[in-house]
């Protein structure tokens, strides 16, 4: 659908260029086959007239219209441009360019995290040694999902608790065997 909101078609700037009876529209910058008073075009640019043959509504006519390529007594006809749309959906404007130059190489490694990373076979996840990055790829702050943080902490605490229980059970068994 074409985008215009005024019920009198005064803001119609679409691309329909045929009349309701199917005739092709005459260009607004042409005076043949139908001469008209809408010249020079610069005087009527605010009404959407230009070097095109698309329907417009200059002069307070009851519809969006155009002169046809048929030499007739009246010379013009209304166009079917559809109904007005109160809220036109337009694509969002492009994002402004970033004020920061693009990164040409990855950031240097976090030497502290590399030196203190867990050993092979450790149950301790790497996020314990390297805090999470709460900034997204575009550098916008993204607050942590606290439910995920709690789950991650439980994954660290739970195995440790189970290991302690196993060690206690083994110690009790050893004490019973020695007694």
């Amino acid at each position: 659908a074409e985008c215009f909101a005024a019920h009198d078609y005064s803001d119609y700037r679409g691309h329909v260029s045929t009349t309701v009876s199917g005739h092709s529209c005459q260009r607004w910058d042409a005076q043949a086959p139908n001469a008209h008073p809408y010249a020079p075009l610069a005087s009527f640019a605010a009404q959407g007239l230009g070097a095109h043959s698309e329907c417009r509504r200059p002069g307070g006519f009851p519809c969006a219209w155009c002169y046809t390529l048929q030499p007739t007594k009246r010379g013009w006809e209304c166009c079917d441009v559809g109904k007005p749309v109160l809220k036109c959906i337009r694509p969002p404007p492009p994002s402004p360019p970033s004020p920061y130059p693009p990164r040409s190489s990855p950031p240097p490694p976090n030497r502290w995290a590399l030196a203190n990373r867990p050993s092979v076979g450790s149950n301790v996840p790497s996020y314990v040694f390297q805090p999470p990055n709460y900034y997204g790829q575009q550098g916008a702050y993204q607050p942590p999902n606290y439910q995920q943080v709690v789950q991650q902490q439980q994954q660290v605490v739970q195995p440790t608790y189970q290991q302690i229980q196993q060690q206690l059970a083994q110690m009790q068994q050893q004490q019973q065997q020695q007694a």
Side-chain angles (χ1 to χ4, degrees):
E2 308 234 42
C3 188
F4 65 103
H7 287 280
D8 65 355
Y9 305 97
S10 59
D11 65 340
Y12 176 74
R13 298 295 183 269
H15 301 290
V16 173
S17 61
T18 55
T19 66
V20 291
S21 63
H23 291 113
S24 295
C25 292
Q26 171 183 315
R27 288 175 57 99
W28 290 101
D29 59 350
Q31 291 291 327
N34 294 294
H36 60 82
Y38 299 103
L41 286 178
S43 303
F44 299 96
Q47 296 175 350
L49 303 187
H52 60 78
S53 60
E54 295 159 346
C55 301
R56 295 293 183 261
R57 188 191 166 256
F61 282 71
C63 59
W65 61 277
C66 70
Y67 288 102
T68 69
L69 291 176
Q70 309 298 316
T72 62
K73 187 174 184 181
R74 184 168 75 174
W76 65 271
E77 286 185 17
C78 288
C79 302
D80 183 7
V81 297
K83 294 182 180 179
V85 179
L86 295 180
K87 289 187 178 180
C88 297
I89 299 172
R90 299 187 195 282
S95 300
S98 173
Y100 305 105
R103 288 210 275 213
S104 58
S105 62
N110 183 335
R111 300 206 185 284
W112 184 87
L114 291 175
N116 295 295
R117 67 178 167 209
S119 61
V120 176
S122 170
N123 288 332
V124 181
S126 62
Y127 73 85
V128 170
F129 295 99
Q130 185 170 0
N133 180 6
Y134 293 127
Y135 291 88
Q137 291 178 349
Q138 277 75 30
Y141 177 73
Q142 297 173 341
N145 179 333
Y146 289 105
Q147 192 172 17
Q148 283 181 338
V149 171
V150 168
Q151 287 174 352
Q152 289 172 344
Q153 289 173 348
Q154 287 175 348
Q155 289 172 357
V156 172
V157 172
Q158 190 67 27
T160 306
Y161 179 72
Q162 289 173 350
Q163 288 172 352
I164 291 171
Q165 283 183 326
Q166 288 174 354
Q167 288 174 355
L168 282 174
Q170 288 175 356
M171 288 171 51
Q172 287 173 351
Q173 284 178 351
Q174 288 175 354
Q175 287 175 354
Q176 288 174 356
Q177 289 174 356
Q178 291 175 357

